[in-house]
Amino acid sequence: MAGMSARILVADDDPKQAELIRLYLERDGHSVLTVHNGRAALEQCRSRKPDLLVLDVMMPQVDGLDVCRIVRAESSVAILLVTARSTEEDLLLGLDLGADDYMTKPVSPRELAARVRALLRRSGIGSPGHQRVLNVGDLVVDAGRFEVRVGGEPVVLTAKEFGILELLAGEPGRVFTRGEIINRVFGFERDVSERTVDAHVVNLRRKLEAEPVQPRYVQTVYGRGYRLAEQP
């Protein structure tokens, strides 16, 4: 598992099951934190920003499906749902809410570890590009640390704002259509429109630009989409 180490949050109301999963994942070289209710899962996702979330559906305080929906609205973290529910409707609901994969109980820890490895490969976590630092003029986008700086000063962004900026900064000068941004940043989330992208860009400019109405960084190409200036 060299090169595939990831930060993983395991949320399961059964402490013994959570501990067993933690042991198997740590054998693969991952850093693992366990929590036992939905509220704690949300708090740790927001504060620690894990690379992958193993999420039990049946949890106290906040249901796992609600956690999945909220986390997906705020982050692109990979989510593996674990549940005793096994109907096709349950499976589809979990995927519709933003889960990347789905396992039904009883869970084999070895199979779960293999599913985690597959999700990490698909997400590019642990690959050389995952920890890249992008520099465009005085703009720095640090993907590994989830940090942005302009002229050396930190800029606090939401997960979606960061995702859009990281996408644009990966290819300065290239124009990304709103549809491409939706596919690359929002994935299969529901109720995402081109106006949603525009709203995030407006907020992104407010945080990055000295004069948002005359942006140096995130530029509009009318009739096409958005690009990051090659030489801001």
Side-chain angles (χ1 to χ4, degrees):
M1 287 299 297
M4 283 286 286
S5 178
R7 301 183 306 276
I8 298 176
L9 176 63
V10 175
D12 194 313
D13 67 337
D14 182 343
K16 291 183 179 180
Q17 176 74 7
E19 180 67 9
L20 183 60
I21 292 172
R22 182 184 68 80
L23 290 174
Y24 270 81
L25 294 177
E26 287 184 343
R27 286 181 187 176
D28 278 350
H30 303 303
S31 174
V32 183
L33 175 69
T34 61
V35 295
H36 308 301
N37 65 71
R39 187 178 301 278
L42 286 173
E43 291 172 353
Q44 293 302 322
C45 276
R46 288 165 174 161
S47 64
R48 294 179 178 264
K49 296 180 173 60
D51 298 309
L52 187 142
L53 171 62
V54 178
L55 179 61
D56 186 17
V57 168
M58 302 296 289
M59 283 196 302
Q61 298 191 24
V62 182
D63 181 82
L65 291 177
D66 286 331
V67 173
C68 182
R69 175 180 54 79
I70 295 167
V71 168
R72 179 54 72 234
E74 299 176 351
S75 168
S76 59
V77 62
I79 300 175
L80 172 58
L81 276 183
V82 177
T83 180
R85 303 169 181 171
S86 59
T87 68
E88 184 180 23
E89 289 75 15
D90 291 323
L91 167 63
L92 294 176
L93 176 59
L95 296 176
D96 283 344
L97 289 175
D100 298 281
D101 200 358
Y102 195 104
M103 294 185 69
T104 56
K105 293 182 177 182
V107 170
S108 159
R110 290 180 62 189
E111 181 185 354
L112 185 144
R115 298 277 192 104
V116 165
R117 290 194 293 270
L119 280 174
L120 293 176
R121 282 195 299 270
R122 291 203 297 270
S123 302
I125 295 166
S127 65
H130 178 67
Q131 300 295 335
R132 63 181 178 172
V133 178
L134 305 168
N135 295 270
V136 185
D138 61 353
L139 172 67
V140 179
V141 182
D142 188 331
R145 295 178 179 272
F146 197 79
E147 292 178 351
V148 173
R149 295 183 296 278
V150 175
E153 295 297 320
V155 179
V156 179
L157 302 181
T158 67
K160 288 297 181 287
E161 291 163 1
F162 186 92
I164 293 171
L165 183 60
E166 183 185 10
L167 176 64
L168 301 181
E171 298 184 63
R174 176 187 164 182
V175 179
F176 288 86
T177 67
R178 291 169 176 81
E180 287 178 303
I181 293 172
I182 290 171
N183 290 335
R184 298 278 291 275
V185 177
F186 295 85
F188 295 102
E189 293 181 31
R190 295 179 294 178
D191 301 323
V192 177
S193 67
E194 293 188 351
R195 293 182 64 185
T196 306
V197 174
D198 294 339
H200 282 293
V201 170
V202 167
N203 291 331
L204 184 56
R205 284 173 172 160
R206 286 174 180 162
K207 297 177 180 181
L208 290 180
E209 309 282 357
E211 298 183 37
V213 295
Q214 294 181 318
R216 294 177 56 222
Y217 303 100
V218 180
Q219 300 176 338
T220 301
V221 179
Y222 293 100
R224 296 285 297 172
Y226 297 103
R227 70 182 174 198
L228 190 74
E230 293 184 83
Q231 297 294 331

